[in-house]
Amino acid sequence: MKNKILVAIIMGSDSDLPVMNEAKEVLDSFSVPNEITIVSAHRTTKRMVDYAAGAKKRGIKVIIAGAGGAAHLPGMVASLTPLPVIGVPIKTKSLDGLDSLLSIAQMPPGVPVATVAINGARNAGILACQILGTEYADIANRVEKYKQDLESSVLKKAGALEKIGAKKYLKKMPKNK
Ligand code: RP5
């Protein structure tokens, strides 16, 4: 397949990395070439403008942008590029990420950001693969296989629950679930 970077993952701070790396893990598992870096709307504004304005020319197809608090990065990047931008609201200490969610989702008409759930970087990675799947059949095939595996794993759980009952099932469930 192509080795050219197709997805750019950017975030406002390295404190966002533990969450945003989940998008990278998805892209890597789907063999989608990607890059990941820090671009802050407020602290490195010129870098943000250059990065967003130049992304399409570099062959990037989708941008995943994560930010927390007054999370302006995804929206500002969307205003600077014709590429689809997926926004990941990062959970914050003070407002649990509601501030990030609203800052990213409440875009004005004409400048959409495809906003996933708070800390939903994994879904951002999957959505990026789905968008790319409209152009690359090999990525679309991997997405379909992923969905089939999801279905199988839930059907397997349903079968086990029906067979052994809730009490025994709960005992076998990992504690952190
Ligand atoms: C935002 O401010 C970043 O996206 C991050 O979520 C938040 C806090 O940044 P740090 O103070 O941890 O660098 O711009």
Side-chain angles (χ1 to χ4, degrees):
M1 204 181 64
K2 52 248 137 232
N3 295 315
K4 244 177 22 177
I5 302 290
L6 295 179
V7 180
I9 305 167
I10 56 174
M11 68 208 85
S13 167
D14 63 350
S15 63
D16 303 327
L17 185 58
V19 170
M20 295 307 290
N21 192 48
E22 289 179 30
K24 178 166 177 52
E25 283 173 356
V26 171
L27 295 169
D28 289 346
S29 74
F30 281 81
S31 302
V32 172
N34 63 84
E35 65 183 23
I36 183 163
T37 190
I38 300 163
V39 180
S40 167
H42 304 120
R43 296 163 176 161
T44 64
T45 309
K46 189 174 179 309
R47 171 170 161 78
M48 176 196 65
V49 172
D50 294 344
Y51 190 96
K56 184 169 182 273
K57 219 177 197 172
R58 288 199 296 123
I60 305 269
K61 305 278 185 184
V62 182
I63 297 176
I64 298 174
H72 296 136
L73 179 68
M76 287 310 298
V77 167
S79 77
L80 290 157
T81 177
L83 298 174
V85 176
I86 304 171
V88 182
I90 302 292
K91 189 166 183 173
T92 50
K93 286 198 187 99
S94 43
L95 293 168
D96 277 346
L98 193 57
D99 43 355
S100 323
L101 175 65
L102 297 179
S103 302
I104 296 175
Q106 293 299 106
M107 289 296 291
V111 192
V113 171
T115 310
V116 295
I118 295 168
N119 280 0
R122 184 171 176 75
N123 266 358
I126 296 166
L127 181 56
C129 292
Q130 290 176 308
I131 293 169
L132 291 169
T134 61
E135 185 174 344
Y136 302 104
D138 49 351
I139 298 176
N141 290 340
R142 284 184 203 120
V143 171
E144 274 186 36
K145 163 92 174 53
Y146 172 81
K147 299 265 181 191
Q148 282 160 7
D149 290 349
L150 260 189
E151 185 181 21
S152 307
S153 82
V154 174
L155 291 177
K156 202 174 149 200
K157 288 175 186 173
L161 175 58
E162 288 164 19
K163 194 172 166 199
I164 65 174
K167 206 170 171 186
K168 277 192 186 160
Y169 190 97
L170 280 170
K171 273 195 191 142
K172 289 175 70 166
M173 245 174 107
K175 287 276 175 287
N176 58 357
K177 256 221 135 181

